[in-house]
Amino acid sequence: MKICVIGTGYVGLVTGACFAEVGHWVTCFDRNSTKVGRLKRGDIPFFEPGLKELVLRNCREGRLLFASGLSKAAADSELFFIAVGTPPTSYGSADISQVLEVAADLGRKITRPCTLVNKSTAPVGMAEKIRSVVRRELARRRLKIDFDVVSNPEFLKEGDAINDFMRPDRVVVGADNERAAKVMRSLFAPITRNHERLLVMGIRDAEMTKYAANAMLATRISFMNEIANLCEGLGVDIESVRLGIGSDSRIGYSYIYPGCGYGGSCFPKDVKALIQQARQLRLVPRMLEAVDDTNERQKLRLYQKIRILFGPRLHGRVFGLWGLSFKPGTDDMREAPSVALLEKLIAAGARVRAYDPVAMDNARRSLPQAWFKSKALQLVPDQYAALKGADALILVTEWKPFRSPDLKLMKRIMRGAVIFDGRNQYEKDAVLSGGFQYFGIGR
C-alpha cells in the first residue's frame, strides 16, 4: 500500500519506518524542511533503540521517503496517517489545533478516494471533527471525493516502540463501515498474520480505549506509590508487598513498581485530558484527580527525604544525580521526575552534578540555561564523575548501568555516604553493609 504519514515526531516516525519495513511504500511528511533534510541523512531527532537503523535501511531500499511538500504525496497515497502533536493546554485538555490543520490541508490536497487514519491522541469525537473539516475544504473546491476516517490509537512504549509495533498485544481500529475496516486489516496483515490481534470497534470506542488504557496504567503506578508511602510510615518493606500482590494472577507485576512518579508525553497528558473531558460533562473524576495529584506529590518524595536529612537550606550541598529521562530507554524528559526534583534542589541552594546515558543533549536544550550559567547544574561525562565530592547519590532513572554500583569506589570519591534510591533498585542491606545510609521509596 502507498501510505503518507503526516508528522515525523515519535509516533509518526516509528509508524512510517515500521510500515516500510513490512513492505509498504511510505512517505513521511513534515512542514519543517530542515528537519526533513536531517531525516534523509538518518539524523533522528530523538533516541529510540533500533530506529535509526530501521530508517536508514528502508530509505536505502526505497520504501521510505521524506518530504516537506504534501501535494505529491496526496496524489500518490491511498492512506494518510495523522500523527501530529496534541500538547496539553494550560487547562490540561488536549490542544487539537495541529490535527485540525492537517485535516484542512488534506481537504485541500486529496485528489482520489482514500482513508484518513488518526493516530494522534485526541479527545473522543476527534474523527468526527476531522471528517467535518475535510468535507468543508472539499466543498470549497466543489469536489466530491469519497473518504473514510478511522481511529487507530498508538500503544507504543518509549524505549521498546519498534517491538511494540511489530509484535503488538493488540491493534485497535475504530471504523464506521466495513470498507474502512477491510483496508486496515489489509494494512496490518503482515504484522498480525500469526495471531489475530486486530480489534475493530466503533470510532469513539477506539478513541476512548487509548485514554482508558493510559489512565489505568497511571492508576496502578499512583496506587503503588500511595501504598509505598503508607508502608514507610508503618515500618513495612514495600518490595515484599509488591511481590506478595504481584504473584496474584489477577494483579500481576506490571506497573506496580514504586518510585518517584511517572512522566513522559502520555500518562500525565492523557490523565489530565481525561479529567477535563469528564468535567466538561459535569462529572467529578475523583479517581483520576487522585491519580494525577498523587503523582505530582510523588515527584517530590525524594526532595522531602533530602530535606529531612540535610535540612531545608541546601547551600554548600552537592548531589550526584543519576538519570534525567523520565524512564530508561529514551531521552524524553517531558514531565520527568528529575526536572521537578532539580527545581527544588536548585531553589534550595544545592549544586547538582547529573549524568544520563542518552538524555544529556536533550537536557542541555530543555533545562533552564540559568542553571548551567550559575553552575547550579553540571552535566558530567559518566556516572561516577557525578559523585566526586557529592554529599549523596540520588537515583532517579533506573538505567541498567546504574543497577550494580561500585560502592567501594563511591565511598572513596564521595564526601558523604548517602543514597537516595528513587526506584528501589538497590538491596538495602547491601548498601547499609557498604557503609552508606539508604533511603528508598516505601522502605
Side-chain angles (χ1 to χ4, degrees), residues 317-437:
R317 296 292 183 183
V318 178
F319 296 96
L321 190 147
W322 285 0
L324 292 164
S325 58
F326 83 93
K327 72 171 191 174
T330 179
D331 64 351
D332 194 343
M333 291 181 57
R334 287 173 288 184
E335 302 285 341
S338 64
V339 178
L341 178 59
L342 284 169
E343 288 174 350
K344 288 291 187 180
L345 290 173
I346 293 171
R351 288 188 296 125
V352 181
R353 297 193 184 108
Y355 172 74
D356 188 285
V358 303
M360 303 291 267
D361 289 342
N362 196 12
R364 290 187 184 93
R365 292 191 301 267
S366 61
L367 293 176
Q369 293 304 301
W371 291 356
F372 298 113
K373 290 178 181 177
S374 67
K375 296 187 177 180
L377 174 63
Q378 291 179 286
L379 302 181
V380 297
D382 66 76
Q383 65 194 78
Y384 293 106
L387 301 183
K388 290 181 180 178
D391 293 289
L393 160 66
I394 308 171
L395 176 74
V396 179
T397 313
E398 65 276 31
W399 286 93
K400 288 181 180 178
F402 303 156
R403 292 182 181 178
S404 299
D406 186 335
L407 295 177
K408 291 182 180 179
L409 172 61
M410 290 167 58
K411 198 72 181 293
R412 289 200 305 271
I413 63 176
M414 292 176 66
R415 182 165 65 185
V418 183
I419 294 177
F420 293 97
D421 184 358
R423 299 295 177 182
N424 287 359
Q425 287 296 293
Y426 306 136
E427 291 293 334
K428 183 177 179 179
D429 291 342
V431 172
L432 293 174
S433 64
F436 285 82
Q437 290 180 272

Side-chain angles (χ1 to χ4, degrees), residues 79-92:
L79 284 106
F80 294 86
F81 276 81
I82 301 173
V84 294
T86 53
T89 67
S90 57
Y91 299 101

Side-chain angles (χ1 to χ4, degrees), residues 34-256:
T34 301
K35 184 178 183 182
V36 167
R38 291 174 60 189
L39 288 168
K40 287 179 178 179
R41 297 191 297 271
D43 187 358
I44 308 301
F46 53 86
F47 177 78
E48 178 60 38
L51 183 59
K52 181 173 183 175
E53 294 79 6
L54 201 66
V55 168
L56 288 173
R57 179 168 62 252
N58 283 280
C59 284
R60 187 169 58 247
E61 296 176 3
R63 291 187 300 272
L64 179 62
L65 303 174
F66 294 99
S68 56
L70 187 57
S71 296
K72 187 177 187 304
D76 293 341
S77 300
E78 51 197 304
L79 284 106
F80 294 86
F81 276 81
I82 301 173
V84 294
T86 53
T89 67
S90 57
Y91 299 101
S93 57
D95 180 352
I96 61 173
S97 59
Q98 292 184 64
V99 179
L100 296 178
E101 287 176 15
V102 170
D105 213 10
L106 286 171
R108 291 189 287 265
K109 297 287 173 58
I110 58 174
T111 58
R112 61 173 181 168
C114 57
T115 303
L116 312 182
V117 184
N118 182 39
K119 221 161 177 60
S120 298
T121 303
V124 173
M126 190 71 246
E128 295 161 17
K129 289 182 171 65
I130 293 171
R131 193 192 313 274
S132 176
V133 170
V134 174
R135 282 176 175 167
R136 181 194 70 202
E137 295 302 322
L138 288 174
R140 288 175 177 173
R141 295 167 63 194
R142 298 182 181 180
L143 291 176
K144 286 188 176 181
I145 297 176
D146 201 11
F147 69 94
D148 292 312
V149 180
V150 170
S151 175
N152 176 219
E154 57 86 13
F155 300 99
L156 305 177
K157 297 189 296 292
E158 292 190 47
D160 199 27
I162 294 171
N163 183 62
D164 283 345
F165 195 100
M166 295 297 195
R167 300 173 182 83
D169 293 329
R170 78 290 202 201
V171 176
V172 173
V173 171
D176 59 4
N177 63 74
E178 182 53 35
R179 178 183 61 187
K182 185 176 180 180
V183 168
M184 297 300 287
R185 287 192 184 96
S186 179
L187 173 69
F188 280 100
I191 295 168
T192 61
R193 183 168 287 125
N194 292 336
H195 179 69
E196 182 53 55
R197 298 182 178 91
L198 195 138
L199 305 175
V200 179
M201 59 186 70
I203 294 176
R204 295 171 73 89
D205 304 339
E207 292 170 335
M208 187 61 181
T209 297
K210 167 65 174 180
Y211 279 105
N214 279 352
M216 172 60 79
L217 297 176
T219 298
R220 287 172 68 97
I221 295 171
S222 282
F223 169 81
M224 204 61 186
N225 283 333
E226 188 114 309
I227 294 297
N229 296 337
L230 180 61
C231 285
E232 193 168 316
L234 295 172
V236 175
D237 190 337
I238 186 60
E239 288 303 304
S240 297
V241 175
R242 180 182 66 81
L243 294 172
I245 67 173
S247 59
D248 187 327
S249 61
R250 298 169 300 174
I251 298 173
Y253 293 103
S254 296
Y255 292 87
I256 62 166

